[in-house]
Amino acid sequence: MCISLEVDAALDQLTELDRELEEYRRAADSGNLVPLPGETVEASAMKLGSTSKNVGSAMAQLLTAASQGNENYVGVAARDTANALRVLTEATRGVASTSEDIEVRRQVIDSARDVIDKSTHLLEETKRAMNDPENPENQARLNQVAKAVSSALNNCVNALPGQRDVDNAIRQITDSSQELASTKYPSTDRTFQEIQIEINNAAVNLNQAASDIVTASRGTPKQLAESSREYSSSYSEFIKSGLTMAGLSKDGDTQNQIVGGLKNVSMVSSKLLLAAKSVSADPNAPNTKNLLSQAARAVTESINQLINVCTVSAPGQKECDNALRQIQMMKSMLESANEPVTDLSYFECLDSVMEKSKLLGDSMTGITNHAKKGDLENFCDSVGNFSTSVCGLTEAASQAAYLVGIADGASEPGRPGLVDQSQFARANQAIQMACQNLVNPASSQQQVLSAATVVAKHTSALCNACRLASSKTSNPVAKRHFVQSAKDVANSTANLVKAIKALDQDFTEENRQRCAEAAKPLTDAVDELTTFASSPEFASMPAKISPEARKAQEPIVSAGKAMIDGACHMVTAAKQLAVNPKDPPTYQLYSNHSKSVSEAIKRLVSSIKDCAPGQRECDESIDKLNRSIRDLDQASLAAISQSLQQRTEKSLRGFQEQMIGSAREIHDLCSKVKDSAKAEPENLGHRVTMMASYFGPLSDGAVGAASLIQNSKQQTHILDLTKTVAESALQFMYSCKEGGGNPKAPKHTHDNIDTAADNTMDVVQDLLQSLEEAASQAGVVNSMIEKLTKSITKTDEQVMVREGMSFVEYQSNMVSLAKKIAMTTQEMVGKAGVNPGDLGRLANQLTRDYDVLASNSANAAATSNSQDIANRIRTTVQDLGKSCVELVQDAGKVQGDPHDTYARRDLQDHARSVSEKVAFVLAALQSGSRGTQACINAASAVSGIIADLDTTIMFATAGTLCTEGDDSFASHREDILKTAKALVEETKKLVQGAASDQETLAGAAQQAVKTITKLADVVKLGAASLGSNQPEAQVMIINAVKDVASALSDLISATKNASGKNVSDPAMMTLKESAKVMVTNVTSLLKTVKTVEDEAARGTRALESTIEAIGQEVKSYEAGTLPEKKATAEDLIRLTKPITTATAKAVAAGNSGRQEDVIICANMGRKAIFDLLATCRGTASTAETTEVRQKTIAAGKNCAVVYKDLLEQVSTVVQKPSQEAKQTLAARAHQVAVSVQEIVHCSELIKGTDWVDPEDPTVIAESELLTAAKSIEAAAQKLSQLKPRKKAKEADMSLNFEEQILEAAKSIASATAALVKSASAAQRELVAQGKVRTRKEIGATYHKSQILDDDGQWSEGLISAAKMVAAATHSLCESANAMVQGHATEERLIASAKEVAGSTAHLLVACRVKADPDSVAMKRLQAAGNAVKRATEVLVKAAQQAKQRDEDEDINVAVDSRKVGGIKQELQIQEEMLRKEREWIEAREKLAKFRKQRYKDTGHDSDSSSAF
């Protein structure tokens, strides 16, 4: 019913349009139809021509939807048809009102009414077909009515001014061409020379008329009409002269060649006029102007070919005439350079100009030299080369001018449509002409075969284009129509090919007629497809060249025109030179014109170089960036002087969101600008302009945000970070300007662009991370939601898959990211109740992970073999993104109000939804490739086994790995050997699974995991049976099975990557290498099992195993397959100590030769090297420069290699001891020491000026103190939020607070331990320097009574202060523990906390003895100690407030209303008060006595003090 209503509404609208047209007709007849303001005949005709195409495409979609029975799209297409006809009616009125010819007025209006009438009939038939879809006659009736509509539209366009004249010219050409089929030629009494002159003149006139047609098609309808009539007249004269020439020829072959040439001219003339008609009707149609230029050049070439046959003249004359016509025809190409004429890029145009200019120079020289020598044959070749070079130069100049035009910031480059409509038009025209040749009786057998080739070529291209369009469009009607059209074209082509084969075998008129019948369905199908593909829905957007761009094009265009003019004059002079080469004036004339051509080419080359697109925009962008940097500098100075004016137009949140939005756009544009700077000059200007436009808002937002921040350090930080971004972008712009989009620029230029782009993206990412963290801490989630929404759209983007990447790689990445998202989600649920402040950080992490996941999903979908799997991946990832958006919104709400139970519940529900969606994503990936997914799961399981083995090694090293029973290793040896051999068999199946189906691969991966799990278990049991008294042997055998597990993990990954690939693929070679390593490690395990109980050989076996393991680890390190973990320079320096220790152990083992020492050094060295390599890459990734990064990686590798050499030398010394071998061992140890120093040096370079020694006690103390401060602050904040405790049974309400108290106590204990170490080191240093004397020295000089000075508790210096801190910390821990257990009150905790704060302050005062007050170490300790002191004070204050609340809550006095009872109650309260006062006085006296006694006993505990 709804569809019927929409069609009825369209019919009503058409009835109204018909009534309007009838009124226009009456007004036109009476002379009352006047144009509307701004209407012109040209604009109205153009509007009518373009609208007719829209009507035709809308009708085609309506017909398709009706034939498919798609009710939704029938209604939409009916509405679109009515709307298009409304525009057609308006255009008809405009043409009729602006035309002066009454006949034109009537004809235009009548043809438009005919279109309305036929369209009404079509809608009625559509309605009837939808109401009776089972009627088999529906399709036939619809097709018949659609043809009537198409014919009416053609008649409407043909009624336009100028179009009728073109049609008349086409009809005249067709009529004249019929004379060519006759074997009778006109008779004449003129001579051959006279006819030759006549045909030459006619050729010149026809060529000029063709050039005029090209020019007039862009002008007014009147100009087109005049040029069409002129072309028709010139064509008639040319045909008449050609037939006369054929009649004078007595040679039958010559006559056939002349007639064939005339037919060719006739055919290309029709194409020229049809192309001119299309351009005039719709100048903005894609590629029409190029088709017109190509048609004009085809006319010139046809004329030249005919002249070559007809003309018998002096050598060189006709060649010069042909060259002149070719060059003249190229001039129109430079008139309007707003369409691409080739596929060349800008710098390829420059290269082409340079190359063609050399050829041009050679041909100019050749013309002169060959003319002088009288070598006219080579002279003709040089003239031909000259014209070809000029044509090539003109094409390159036009293309370069077009690229300059679209590169301008004000211009709009063309946008490709769903289909290349020009391709459909070209294919349609080629097929139509080929079918005409097939049915032409004059066509030879060779021409028929050639036509068949053309048909096959273009129909194949059309079918491929339909298939591609069907996959791209989301319109189901269009999708089906393209598929059906492709089938129709393919079937029609197949039938035509059969008919052509029959004609080729038996070249008879009957078979030719069958070809004609078979060609008809093909031409109809191609016509219908071309009409449907011409819909505006599928159209491309033509480029729009701005006036500024026209000016930028002018130098190139003017140079090209000057070159063409000079070339024409030069060819004319060359023509005379060929006749009279010794004539000085002729030679001088030729020389002058050749000089003008050379000057024009120099100008052309210079203009193309100077007008390179993007250079001006780069300069403007550089100026913008410099202005932004200046603004940031001024704001920084104002912030330092505390005079930064506060901005009030936005909030801090608003400025932050402005910065985040701008920074993200800049980050996204970096890669596009980089690509443009390296190979896309036409896009460089647009992209750098767009990128630079975001720096204004970015710097403005930074200044605004800084003005609203109170902390001066934070102000400086955000301004400096933004300035760093701007400076990096400035360097990037300079690199882009230097590259200019030239793909052939020097390598260092492209390297500079890559480096600058990477640096810019890195600093922008740092800025984004800082802003997002600041925003998320404030509960602002808008930017994260925006980023998630943008990431969701990425899943539907068409991406270019990087070479060498396959579905497996993207699948692995997506599995890892999906699991990270699930873990983050669960962590958010946990933090929502404990620490809501962390939700912002987690939401940020979730957003970043999903963004990468979405990008990988687009690539995974593109590389998937199944479209269903690709769609499933897209859908599940999009659903996951929507759930992530809801989760982030909930996180923002919980951050804003942590007590909102509804928000927490929503967060838990949406977290559950995210987990479910993650499971769906994993399921979609698994269905896409079950075998590779099984490999991913297997690799994860093996990683867990390796981690478990690492834990077992720790137990073994600690000497706690032992068995509960009395079994021996021999009882487990057989199980180990049997399981290891089974693993080898599973390994073979796994390798074979890479070339098998996914099911086989999945089974092999799962079985391999089961076997390695069993092997690890039996080896652990065997190691335990060795006993805890042999820890090194235990570690040795567990390391061996760990090597097997690591090799299996690598093998599984290699199998996954090689799955489904060719045998010659590099992934297969990697698989083979991994399989070899696996076998080697299993063999090593078997050897270890056999020798582990042999005390005389197991050391050597451990050494061999370690050497092999280090070698494999180095290979993985070089390949970059080691997992990178985040690490700092301090971490790397810390790991050099185990290397040094292991080196010393290795030297000692070599010297002693004892197997126990050897196995210890092997195990220790293995762990030290493995840890070093794992950390080295992570540390190197934090380096600021590529040079330092590479240097650090190389230093890590070198250290591992030289240590491996050291172990090999140890093996040599142990097996064949000699003095020379031991000397070599010492040299190897020295090499290790040197490599360790290099690692330390690289770490210092990475750390920069902030480098500190990680073993420095002050650094450790600083870190521990700050951690303690944070813990105390968290505890205080939790305490402030608690409700008063009324009863002991409600202790669970404050459980989290009690946990915080314990954690704070632990942190303080760690901090004070570090402080004590620092104090001890300082005391020893002072004693060594003689600044502080020992207790014995003091005792020798003074009496015991003199030891107690004015400040007795500091008589022991740093050590005494450290002891007091330790005692206070111990007291705090006891108080915290007692309070948690309910055995102490807040008062005890407060007192302990105050003691910690006081003793920490005393210790910091004492520490000033260690270093100068201005030293870096002292400042760090002072700041950290103050932080602990402040945090402790906050804890005390919060505890007091909690205590006050408890007291207020607990005091509940019920006043007795009776007089006697009230007096009694008051006396009881006073009695309790006096008792409490007496207890307080006694406690004070007790404290005083305790302190006196403690000071008396100070001299008796010197031993314990000095031993501290």
Side-chain angles (χ1 to χ4, degrees):
M1 180 62 69
C2 181
I3 304 303
S4 178
L5 290 176
E6 289 185 344
V7 175
D8 288 341
L11 285 169
D12 292 341
Q13 191 172 352
L14 263 60
T15 303
E16 179 65 21
L17 293 177
D18 186 65
R19 188 185 59 77
E20 291 179 8
L21 286 170
E22 187 177 359
E23 292 178 0
Y24 296 157
R25 172 65 186 270
R26 287 197 295 268
D29 290 342
S30 61
N32 295 327
L33 188 64
V34 296
L36 297 175
E39 277 188 339
T40 61
V41 63
E42 293 84 4
S44 299
M46 187 184 304
K47 184 177 181 181
L48 181 61
S50 59
T51 306
S52 65
K53 291 185 177 181
N54 296 343
V55 173
S57 61
M59 292 288 186
Q61 293 203 25
L62 177 64
L63 184 66
T64 303
S67 62
Q68 294 178 3
N70 191 316
E71 296 182 354
N72 293 331
Y73 277 89
V74 164
V76 173
R79 187 168 59 250
D80 292 345
T81 300
N83 293 336
L85 288 171
R86 162 68 64 185
V87 179
L88 181 72
T89 302
E90 294 172 358
T92 301
R93 185 201 181 283
V95 172
S97 63
T98 54
S99 177
E100 299 176 355
D101 189 344
I102 187 65
E103 286 299 323
V104 171
R105 293 182 178 184
R106 292 174 179 172
Q107 190 173 355
V108 167
I109 295 175
D110 290 343
S111 59
R113 291 192 67 188
D114 187 41
V115 171
I116 297 294
D117 179 63
K118 298 297 189 297
S119 300
T120 302
H121 192 192
L122 177 60
L123 286 175
E124 290 173 347
E125 288 294 334
T126 300
K127 183 178 178 181
R128 187 179 298 112
M130 295 304 295
N131 292 332
D132 186 14
E134 302 300 329
N135 192 335
E137 298 180 0
N138 287 340
Q139 189 65 42
R141 285 203 304 266
L142 287 172
N143 289 336
Q144 185 177 359
V145 177
K147 289 179 180 179
V149 174
S150 179
S151 177
L153 281 171
N154 288 333
N155 293 335
C156 185
V157 174
N158 292 337
L160 289 173
Q163 298 288 317
R164 292 185 304 167
D165 299 280
V166 176
D167 287 335
N168 292 334
I170 293 174
R171 280 194 294 272
Q172 290 178 11
I173 289 174
T174 304
D175 295 340
S176 299
S177 300
Q178 292 178 354
E179 300 178 7
L180 300 176
S182 174
T183 56
K184 296 182 180 180
Y185 302 108
S187 59
T188 181
D189 55 356
R190 289 179 294 174
T191 63
F192 184 86
Q193 285 74 17
E194 290 175 341
I195 299 299
Q196 182 175 310
I197 294 172
E198 180 182 320
I199 197 172
N200 281 333
N201 292 334
V204 172
N205 294 336
L206 184 60
N207 192 68
Q208 184 60 45
S211 180
D212 293 341
I213 283 284
V214 174
T215 304
S217 64
R218 303 189 182 102
T220 64
K222 184 177 180 180
Q223 292 173 334
L224 180 60
E226 292 176 354
S227 62
S228 299
R229 289 193 291 270
E230 181 63 29
Y231 188 86
S232 176
S233 175
S234 300
Y235 174 80
S236 297
E237 293 179 4
F238 185 75
I239 292 295
K240 184 179 179 181
S241 301
L243 289 174
T244 304
M245 177 65 73
L248 291 177
S249 177
K250 303 303 180 183
D251 184 13
D253 290 340
T254 304
Q255 287 181 342
N256 289 337
Q257 289 180 0
I258 293 174
V259 171
L262 291 172
K263 288 180 180 180
N264 194 29
V265 172
S266 173
M267 182 178 66
V268 296
S269 296
S270 298
K271 290 173 64 175
L272 173 66
L273 292 174
L274 287 172
K277 185 178 177 182
S278 298
V279 172
S280 176
D282 188 7
N284 294 324
N287 211 40
T288 52
K289 294 177 181 177
N290 280 342
L291 291 175
L292 179 62
S293 298
Q294 292 172 8
R297 292 173 65 180
V299 170
T300 301
E301 291 172 0
S302 300
I303 293 172
N304 289 344
Q305 291 174 2
L306 182 60
I307 294 299
N308 289 338
V309 175
C310 298
T311 304
V312 179
S313 59
Q317 299 300 294
K318 64 180 179 182
E319 286 79 5
C320 289
D321 290 336
N322 292 346
L324 194 59
R325 281 189 289 270
Q326 286 179 340
I327 294 171
Q328 287 174 341
M329 190 54 65
M330 296 299 298
K331 191 170 186 179
S332 62
M333 191 174 287
L334 295 171
E335 295 294 337
S336 180
N338 59 355
E339 284 188 359
V341 294
T342 65
D343 294 329
L344 297 179
S345 67
Y346 190 82
F347 288 97
E348 287 174 341
C349 289
L350 179 59
D351 293 340
S352 177
V353 167
M354 299 293 290
E355 180 183 353
K356 298 291 184 184
S357 61
K358 292 179 181 178
L359 296 176
L360 187 70
D362 294 340
S363 60
M364 290 166 64
T365 305
I367 289 173
T368 306
N369 294 336
H370 297 314
K372 287 182 178 179
K373 297 177 182 178
D375 186 359
L376 295 181
E377 182 178 353
N378 288 328
F379 173 86
C380 295
D381 292 340
S382 296
V383 170
N385 293 337
F386 178 82
S387 65
T388 302
S389 299
V390 171
C391 292
L393 285 166
T394 307
E395 282 186 348
S398 178
Q399 177 72 4
Y402 164 75
L403 295 175
V404 168
I406 64 170
D408 187 83
S411 298
E412 295 182 14
R415 175 178 53 81
L418 181 69
V419 297
D420 185 358
Q421 294 179 334
S422 61
Q423 178 190 8
F424 280 78
R426 288 194 300 268
N428 185 16
Q429 194 171 28
I431 291 170
Q432 298 287 354
M433 298 305 299
C435 289
Q436 287 181 15
N437 289 338
L438 284 175
V439 300
N440 189 352
S443 298
S444 64
Q445 190 170 3
Q446 184 61 36
Q447 288 174 324
V448 168
L449 293 177
S450 176
T453 303
V454 171
V455 169
K457 172 185 173 184
H458 287 285
T459 53
S460 175
L462 282 180
C463 290
N464 288 333
C466 287
R467 179 184 56 80
L468 187 61
S470 174
S471 64
K472 286 183 179 179
T473 182
S474 57
N475 184 336
V477 173
K479 187 184 291 288
R480 293 176 187 170
H481 192 284
F482 278 120
V483 172
Q484 187 59 45
S485 297
K487 290 180 180 177
D488 293 342
V489 170
N491 293 334
S492 301
T493 304
N495 294 333
L496 179 59
V497 169
K498 289 180 182 177
I500 293 173
K501 288 182 178 178
L503 179 63
D504 182 46
Q505 294 174 358
D506 187 7
F507 210 73
T508 62
E509 190 61 33
E510 182 181 357
N511 286 338
R512 189 185 292 277
Q513 185 61 34
R514 289 177 182 171
C515 275
E517 293 173 358
K520 187 68 169 61
L522 176 61
T523 55
D524 291 344
V526 172
D527 273 337
E528 189 273 334
L529 175 59
T530 305
T531 302
F532 182 77
S534 300
S535 170
E537 179 185 354
F538 314 133
S540 59
M541 182 69 68
K544 295 181 180 179
I545 308 299
S546 66
E548 292 81 2
R550 297 283 183 195
K551 293 179 182 178
Q553 289 178 331
E554 186 57 32
I556 298 176
V557 171
S558 61
K561 289 180 178 179
M563 177 190 68
I564 289 178
D565 291 338
C568 290
H569 293 308
M570 186 183 134
V571 170
T572 303
K575 184 178 179 182
Q576 299 175 15
L577 193 64
V579 178
N580 192 4
K582 303 298 184 181
D583 184 26
T586 303
Y587 183 80
Q588 185 62 39
L589 181 65
Y590 173 83
S591 179
N592 292 337
H593 290 312
S594 64
K595 185 177 180 181
S596 66
V597 171
S598 299
E599 292 296 328
I601 290 175
K602 289 179 182 178
R603 281 175 49 205
L604 178 62
V605 173
S606 176
S607 299
I608 293 177
K609 288 182 177 179
D610 295 340
C611 296
Q615 295 297 305
R616 178 170 57 85
E617 288 81 359
C618 284
D619 290 334
E620 293 173 354
S621 300
I622 289 170
D623 291 339
K624 288 181 182 179
L625 287 170
N626 282 322
R627 285 197 296 270
S628 296
I629 292 173
R630 286 196 296 270
D631 293 342
L632 291 168
D633 283 336
Q634 292 174 1
S636 297
L637 292 174
I640 293 172
S641 61
Q642 298 183 352
S643 61
L644 184 60
Q645 190 69 29
Q646 191 171 15
R647 301 267 291 274
T648 58
E649 67 268 25
K650 285 185 182 179
S651 64
L652 176 60
R653 174 176 173 178
F655 282 120
Q656 286 177 337
E657 290 182 349
Q658 176 179 323
M659 290 183 68
I660 290 173
S662 301
R664 281 184 180 156
E665 294 296 336
I666 293 169
H667 187 274
D668 292 342
L669 282 169
C670 276
S671 58
K672 296 180 180 179
V673 173
K674 178 180 73 172
D675 294 340
S676 299
K678 292 170 67 176
E680 301 173 8
E682 62 276 9
N683 295 327
L684 181 60
H686 290 282
R687 289 175 177 172
V688 297
T689 301
M690 189 179 300
M691 182 174 173
S693 67
Y694 289 108
F695 276 91
L698 180 66
S699 59
D700 178 72
V703 175
S707 70
L708 298 175
I709 295 175
Q710 301 301 323
N711 190 312
S712 60
K713 288 186 177 180
Q714 293 180 2
Q715 285 181 333
T716 306
H717 175 70
I718 192 170
L719 291 172
D720 288 348
L721 203 52
T722 309
K723 181 183 175 184
T724 303
V725 171
E727 289 174 341
S728 298
L730 182 64
Q731 185 60 42
F732 184 31
M733 287 297 169
Y734 280 121
S735 301
C736 290
K737 182 182 179 183
E738 182 183 1
N742 186 2
K744 296 183 180 179
K747 184 178 182 300
H748 69 84
T749 301
H750 284 181
D751 291 343
N752 291 341
I753 294 172
D754 290 335
T755 302
D758 292 342
N759 291 340
T760 303
M761 293 174 72
D762 288 344
V763 295
V764 171
Q765 189 61 47
D766 291 343
L767 175 63
L768 270 173
Q769 189 169 352
S770 176
L771 291 170
E772 288 171 351
E773 288 177 357
S776 62
Q777 288 174 3
V780 180
V781 296
N782 293 352
S783 60
M784 286 183 272
I785 292 174
E786 180 184 350
K787 185 173 182 178
L788 283 170
T789 306
K790 193 172 182 180
S791 299
I792 291 173
T793 61
K794 287 183 180 180
T795 58
D796 286 326
E797 292 179 355
Q798 297 291 330
V799 295
M800 293 294 295
V801 181
R802 284 188 301 164
E803 186 178 356
M805 295 294 286
S806 65
F807 178 81
V808 175
E809 281 82 1
Y810 296 117
Q811 180 189 28
S812 303
N813 294 340
M814 289 184 67
V815 169
S816 174
L817 290 165
K819 289 181 179 179
K820 284 180 65 178
I821 289 173
M823 292 174 61
T824 304
T825 301
Q826 295 305 315
E827 191 174 355
M828 289 177 73
V829 175
K831 293 291 185 182
V834 179
N835 189 6
D838 272 357
L839 287 177
R841 175 183 61 81
L842 295 172
N844 257 325
Q845 183 62 44
L846 179 72
T847 303
R848 286 193 289 269
D849 289 341
Y850 180 79
D851 182 58
V852 182
L853 177 71
S855 300
N856 277 275
S857 71
N859 288 286
T863 53
S864 175
N865 294 327
S866 170
Q867 188 62 37
D868 292 338
I869 298 298
N871 293 333
R872 188 175 171 189
I873 290 173
R874 288 194 190 97
T875 304
T876 53
V877 172
Q878 288 171 356
D879 291 343
L880 174 60
K882 294 171 185 175
S883 297
C884 288
V885 169
E886 294 171 339
L887 182 61
V888 170
Q889 288 175 334
D890 295 335
K893 292 177 183 178
V894 174
Q895 270 191 288
D897 185 5
H899 302 292
D900 188 346
T901 56
Y902 295 103
R904 288 189 185 181
R905 188 179 308 142
D906 289 342
L907 186 141
Q908 292 174 355
D909 293 342
H910 290 137
R912 194 178 303 112
S913 174
V914 169
S915 299
E916 292 174 355
K917 298 300 191 302
V918 166
F920 293 155
V921 171
L922 294 176
L925 292 170
Q926 184 169 359
S927 62
S929 188
R930 184 173 179 271
T932 54
Q933 182 63 40
C935 288
I936 294 172
N937 297 338
S940 177
V942 174
S943 297
I945 293 171
I946 294 172
D948 180 58
L949 290 171
D950 283 332
T951 305
T952 307
I953 291 173
M954 291 174 58
F955 283 114
T957 305
T960 58
L961 183 64
C962 58
T963 182
E964 295 179 357
D966 297 330
D967 56 341
S968 63
F969 183 78
S971 61
H972 298 286
R973 181 184 293 112
E974 191 62 31
D975 289 340
I976 295 174
L977 297 176
K978 186 189 301 181
T979 309
K981 292 177 181 177
L983 182 61
V984 173
E985 295 301 320
E986 298 301 335
T987 300
K988 294 178 182 178
K989 294 180 182 178
L990 188 62
V991 173
Q992 293 169 357
S996 303
D997 58 276
Q998 291 290 307
E999 292 295 330
T1000 304
L1001 177 59
Q1006 293 166 358
Q1007 190 59 41
V1009 171
K1010 292 179 182 178
T1011 307
I1012 189 64
T1013 304
K1014 182 179 179 181
L1015 179 62
D1017 291 340
V1018 295
V1019 169
K1020 284 192 292 184
L1021 291 173
S1025 67
L1026 290 172
S1028 57
N1029 59 339
Q1030 300 184 64
E1032 297 301 332
Q1034 290 178 328
V1035 172
M1036 168 184 165
I1037 191 170
I1038 297 172
N1039 273 332
V1041 75
K1042 180 185 170 185
D1043 290 340
V1044 172
S1046 299
L1048 179 61
S1049 178
D1050 293 340
L1051 178 63
I1052 291 172
S1053 298
T1055 305
K1056 176 194 66 177
N1057 295 332
S1059 176
K1061 293 187 177 177
N1062 198 318
V1063 180
S1064 59
D1065 192 278
M1068 283 294 183
M1069 299 301 297
T1070 304
L1071 176 61
K1072 292 179 181 178
E1073 291 296 326
S1074 299
K1076 290 179 181 178
V1077 172
M1078 179 69 188
V1079 173
T1080 300
N1081 287 358
V1082 172
T1083 304
S1084 178
L1085 171 63
L1086 297 177
K1087 291 180 180 179
T1088 303
V1089 169
K1090 292 177 181 178
T1091 60
V1092 69
E1093 291 184 302
D1094 185 358
E1095 296 182 0
R1098 64 186 180 190
T1100 305
R1101 174 87 280 276
L1103 203 58
E1104 293 173 354
S1105 177
T1106 298
I1107 292 170
E1108 179 66 28
I1110 291 176
Q1112 294 175 8
E1113 197 75 1
V1114 169
K1115 287 183 180 179
S1116 300
Y1117 181 80
E1118 288 178 322
T1121 56
L1122 284 176
E1124 286 188 19
K1125 63 178 183 180
K1126 293 183 179 180
T1128 62
E1130 291 90 344
D1131 295 330
L1132 186 58
I1133 294 174
R1134 192 176 290 114
L1135 286 174
T1136 57
K1137 185 176 181 180
I1139 297 290
T1140 305
T1141 305
T1143 303
K1145 291 286 185 183
V1147 174
N1151 291 328
S1152 68
R1154 297 173 60 233
Q1155 291 292 314
E1156 293 82 359
D1157 295 340
V1158 172
I1159 194 172
I1160 289 173
C1161 89
N1163 291 338
M1164 185 179 293
R1166 173 196 287 256
K1167 185 177 188 310
I1169 292 297
F1170 278 34
D1171 291 344
L1172 176 72
L1173 294 180
T1175 305
C1176 198
R1177 277 195 178 275
T1179 304
S1181 64
T1182 63
E1184 296 182 355
T1185 63
T1186 305
E1187 181 183 359
V1188 174
R1189 187 181 305 119
Q1190 294 175 349
K1191 190 174 182 180
T1192 305
I1193 293 173
K1197 176 194 170 185
N1198 182 55
C1199 182
V1201 171
V1202 295
Y1203 189 83
K1204 177 171 170 283
D1205 295 341
L1206 173 67
L1207 292 183
E1208 291 174 347
Q1209 187 62 31
V1210 170
S1211 178
T1212 302
V1213 171
V1214 170
Q1215 295 177 14
K1216 297 179 180 179
S1218 66
Q1219 189 62 33
E1220 183 181 354
K1222 290 184 178 181
Q1223 291 177 354
T1224 306
L1225 180 65
R1228 294 278 191 273
H1230 177 70
Q1231 291 177 358
V1232 174
V1234 172
S1235 68
V1236 167
Q1237 288 298 323
E1238 181 63 23
I1239 291 175
V1240 173
H1241 175 65
C1242 293
S1243 300
E1244 294 175 359
L1245 293 177
I1246 293 174
K1247 188 64 179 177
T1249 55
D1250 295 332
W1251 180 84
V1252 294
D1253 183 2
E1255 301 297 333
D1256 188 348
T1258 59
V1259 176
I1260 299 173
E1262 175 190 14
S1263 176
E1264 296 291 350
L1265 275 171
L1266 293 175
T1267 303
K1270 291 179 181 178
S1271 301
I1272 294 172
E1273 288 171 353
Q1277 183 180 5
K1278 184 66 179 178
L1279 178 61
S1280 301
Q1281 296 173 356
L1282 287 176
K1283 295 181 180 179
R1285 291 178 296 165
K1286 295 182 180 180
K1287 300 177 182 179
K1289 67 179 182 180
E1290 298 178 356
D1292 59 331
M1293 295 178 60
S1294 58
L1295 179 60
N1296 290 331
F1297 165 66
E1298 292 162 355
E1299 291 177 352
Q1300 292 283 352
I1301 288 295
L1302 291 176
E1303 189 63 31
K1306 293 176 184 177
S1307 300
I1308 292 175
S1310 299
T1312 52
L1315 279 171
V1316 168
K1317 290 181 182 179
S1318 178
S1320 300
Q1323 183 76 355
R1324 285 194 298 270
E1325 179 182 355
L1326 294 173
V1327 170
Q1329 294 175 353
K1331 295 181 180 180
V1332 176
R1333 288 176 292 175
T1334 64
R1335 173 63 66 108
K1336 293 180 179 180
E1337 293 173 338
I1338 295 174
T1341 308
Y1342 299 98
H1343 295 290
K1344 179 178 178 181
S1345 60
Q1346 294 173 317
I1347 294 177
L1348 292 175
D1349 52 9
D1350 294 337
D1351 191 2
Q1353 71 176 12
W1354 291 110
S1355 63
E1356 299 298 320
L1358 291 175
I1359 305 303
S1360 175
K1363 285 180 63 178
M1364 291 187 65
V1365 172
T1369 304
H1370 180 71
S1371 176
L1372 176 63
C1373 293
E1374 289 182 347
S1375 300
N1377 185 40
M1379 183 178 173
V1380 169
Q1381 296 177 359
H1383 303 317
T1385 61
E1386 286 89 344
E1387 289 87 346
R1388 182 174 176 184
L1389 177 65
I1390 292 170
S1392 300
K1394 286 183 176 181
E1395 185 68 17
V1396 170
S1399 59
T1400 300
H1402 293 160
L1403 177 59
L1404 293 174
V1405 171
C1407 281
R1408 291 194 178 95
V1409 178
K1410 176 184 175 184
D1412 295 334
D1414 295 330
S1415 68
V1416 176
M1418 190 60 229
K1419 288 180 180 178
R1420 284 202 300 266
L1421 283 172
Q1422 185 69 42
N1426 289 341
V1428 172
K1429 185 173 178 295
R1430 287 194 302 270
T1432 309
E1433 290 172 353
V1434 172
L1435 176 60
V1436 169
K1437 184 178 179 182
Q1440 288 173 341
Q1441 291 175 352
K1443 176 177 176 296
Q1444 184 63 39
R1445 288 197 298 269
D1446 289 344
E1447 291 173 351
D1448 293 342
E1449 189 73 21
D1450 292 338
I1451 297 174
N1452 185 14
V1453 181
V1455 180
D1456 196 335
S1457 60
R1458 294 174 299 173
K1459 185 174 182 181
V1460 175
I1463 294 173
K1464 180 182 177 181
Q1465 191 175 13
E1466 183 178 354
L1467 289 174
Q1468 289 175 347
I1469 295 173
Q1470 288 179 356
E1471 179 185 359
E1472 184 179 0
M1473 183 178 68
L1474 291 172
R1475 186 171 62 252
K1476 295 288 185 183
E1477 288 178 354
R1478 186 171 63 253
E1479 291 176 357
W1480 180 74
I1481 292 171
E1482 290 176 354
R1484 284 190 60 125
E1485 291 176 352
K1486 186 176 181 181
L1487 176 63
K1489 290 179 181 179
F1490 169 76
R1491 286 178 174 172
K1492 288 180 181 179
Q1493 187 63 34
R1494 186 178 67 175
Y1495 289 140
K1496 288 180 181 179
D1497 296 339
T1498 302
H1500 300 288
D1501 59 354
S1502 59
D1503 294 340
S1504 60
S1505 298
S1506 60
F1508 184 83

